[in-house]
Amino acid sequence: VKFIYKYLKVKNRNMSNKHEHGSFVFDQGQKEKTISFVEQYTNSKVIKLTPNKNINIYIKEIQETQFIVNKNVDEEVTVNYIVIESEE
């Protein structure tokens, strides 16, 4: 297992995939939020969302220059995100 971990760690150092991270706030009562990408991506994107509360959030749509996120509660929520370009 250590050998595989080391190999992946070395391999990841050499990758030059574009990525970005940030955060946004859903105001109370707001159900949908559109986030624009800072980078321009040519390959598929992987997006991870992490809310500051135990709620359901999901990506409704991913477009060329932005993604749309929805939530299921009426309270204010801060969401951290990371976008990574795939190797395709």
Side-chain angles (χ1 to χ4, degrees):
V1 175
K2 286 184 179 181
F3 174 76
I4 294 172
Y5 173 75
K6 287 180 182 178
Y7 173 74
L8 292 174
K9 191 173 178 182
V10 170
K11 183 179 177 192
N12 287 339
R13 268 192 235 143
N14 296 326
M15 293 188 323
S16 60
N17 294 15
K18 291 180 188 173
H19 65 281
E20 64 186 80
H21 60 87
S23 64
F24 59 90
V25 176
F26 272 110
D27 294 325
Q28 186 172 358
Q30 185 179 20
K31 297 286 187 183
E32 185 173 284
K33 189 85 171 178
T34 300
I35 308 301
S36 296
F37 296 120
V38 175
E39 295 282 345
Q40 292 183 343
Y41 299 97
T42 54
N43 295 334
S44 298
K45 297 163 278 299
V46 176
I47 302 172
K48 179 181 180 187
L49 303 174
T50 308
N52 69 334
K53 297 180 181 179
N54 189 19
I55 64 161
N56 290 328
I57 58 173
Y58 60 94
I59 298 172
K60 177 182 175 183
E61 187 176 340
I62 301 174
Q63 300 174 357
E64 192 79 22
T65 60
Q66 64 189 15
F67 62 100
I68 301 170
V69 181
N70 284 27
K71 69 175 172 116
N72 66 345
V73 296
D74 286 333
E75 58 190 278
E76 182 178 292
V77 177
T78 300
V79 180
N80 294 304
Y81 69 90
I82 185 166
V83 180
I84 303 171
E85 184 176 45
S86 69
E87 293 182 5
E88 295 181 338

